[in-house]
Amino acid sequence: MTDSHSLFSSYEELVQNHARQFDPHIAQLQQLVTTRMQELRAAEQTLVDAQAIELQNIFNALATDARCLLPTPEFRTFVQELKQTQSHNWYTRKSEFSIAEDPTTWLLATLELPIGLSNYQIQEDLDGYDDERNYIGYSYTLSLRFGSVEHLMEILYKRIYNVNDRTETSIKEQIDYYIWSEVEDLLTNMPYPKEQKKQLAQEISVLVGYSSKVFALKPRTAIFEYSSATQEQ
């Protein structure tokens, strides 16, 4: 019978030899990476802080009057793409979607009353239920101020039933199913003709939908990822 000591001794010697040769180098490399990342984080902080300040300036502008977005190329592109997007849900209002591609020509742009958007927050509901199944729901809340009237909206955008089953609503679906009806309610007692209210509801809803993308912006930071792949032989 083979001596158990001699059976493992050669292998253990090789393992120890490997550890002596490479562990110090790996530890040194890890320390170098940690030190360098700390240096990079310190160097980038000025830019990150500057981004945060500019984002806050944008959020403040939206709170004052979100119509500042109307002449921006980004919003115009969003409107053009939105008009071409098809919804596949029964609740879509695509047949009613008739706003101009140039937001600067909208009825909304001619009003004296400002449209304020503020207080954007993400909400998590751990006890969601849709009459059939439980889910974890994610929504965002947003305050819409039209003149002296203010309304807090909540828009559900994601449901997670389990690790392999989730649903997410596109911005168009959020507009069709959630935002539009809330804006219509807000306009109910406003002193505008019926057709103008209908047009304003469409335009404000699109503006609110786009603003959710703006409010979700975060300062960009550098990310370092490294994967050490081993090849079996």
Side-chain angles (χ1 to χ4, degrees):
M1 181 179 294
T2 304
D3 185 353
S4 60
H5 176 72
S6 62
L7 179 65
F8 289 101
S9 59
S10 295
Y11 167 74
E12 291 175 350
E13 183 178 352
L14 289 170
V15 170
Q16 293 172 6
N17 185 34
H18 182 278
R20 286 193 298 269
Q21 288 191 53
F22 294 101
D23 285 5
H25 293 291
I26 296 299
Q28 183 182 30
L29 179 59
Q30 289 175 331
Q31 183 58 49
L32 287 172
V33 170
T34 299
T35 301
R36 184 56 180 150
M37 285 304 299
Q38 290 173 345
E39 294 172 351
L40 289 174
R41 286 280 179 254
E44 77 166 345
Q45 193 58 49
T46 300
L47 280 176
V48 173
D49 291 343
Q51 291 178 69
I53 291 173
E54 288 304 317
L55 283 175
Q56 189 57 55
N57 290 338
I58 294 172
F59 301 157
N60 292 341
L62 296 185
T64 301
D65 193 344
R67 292 181 299 177
C68 62
L69 294 172
L70 298 185
T72 62
E74 294 83 0
F75 184 59
R76 181 168 183 167
T77 299
F78 171 80
V79 172
Q80 292 171 347
E81 293 176 348
L82 190 68
K83 287 174 66 68
Q84 297 174 3
T85 302
Q86 294 185 356
S87 295
H88 302 288
N89 297 284
W90 63 268
Y91 52 75
T92 182
R93 301 194 186 198
K94 188 175 188 302
S95 60
E96 303 177 34
F97 197 75
S98 58
I99 58 175
E101 290 189 359
D102 182 0
T104 61
T105 66
W106 286 2
L107 175 62
L108 183 61
T110 67
L111 301 184
E112 295 183 2
L113 293 178
I115 305 293
L117 296 173
S118 60
N119 300 322
Y120 174 87
Q121 293 184 357
I122 298 295
Q123 309 291 338
E124 182 182 54
D125 179 10
L126 300 177
D127 300 311
Y129 185 70
D130 63 1
D131 295 331
E132 294 182 356
R133 295 183 293 170
N134 294 313
Y135 64 85
I136 299 175
Y138 291 91
S139 60
Y140 61 87
T141 54
L142 186 64
S143 293
L144 167 62
R145 177 177 49 80
F146 188 25
S148 60
V149 180
E150 189 164 0
H151 177 65
L152 181 66
M153 298 186 294
E154 182 170 2
I155 296 92
L156 180 67
Y157 66 89
K158 180 165 63 176
R159 298 180 184 184
I160 300 177
Y161 295 96
N162 56 59
V163 293
N164 298 316
D165 187 2
R166 65 180 61 197
T167 61
E168 295 190 35
T169 56
S170 67
I171 290 184
K172 178 169 176 53
E173 291 164 346
Q174 293 169 27
I175 292 171
D176 287 342
Y177 192 49
Y178 297 103
I179 300 173
W180 199 324
S181 60
E182 297 211 36
V183 173
E184 285 180 326
D185 291 342
L186 183 68
L187 293 173
T188 299
N189 297 321
M190 291 292 182
Y192 299 108
K194 181 178 179 180
E195 286 303 312
Q196 286 192 357
K197 286 183 180 180
K198 180 179 178 181
Q199 188 66 28
L200 286 173
Q202 295 182 65
E203 295 173 354
I204 294 174
S205 297
V206 173
L207 185 62
V208 171
Y210 177 74
S211 74
S212 67
K213 296 180 57 173
V214 178
F215 282 116
L217 293 174
K218 303 291 183 184
R220 185 184 186 278
T221 58
I223 298 176
F224 174 78
E225 294 181 355
Y226 174 75
S227 176
S228 179
T230 59
Q231 182 177 358
E232 295 185 0
Q233 296 182 351

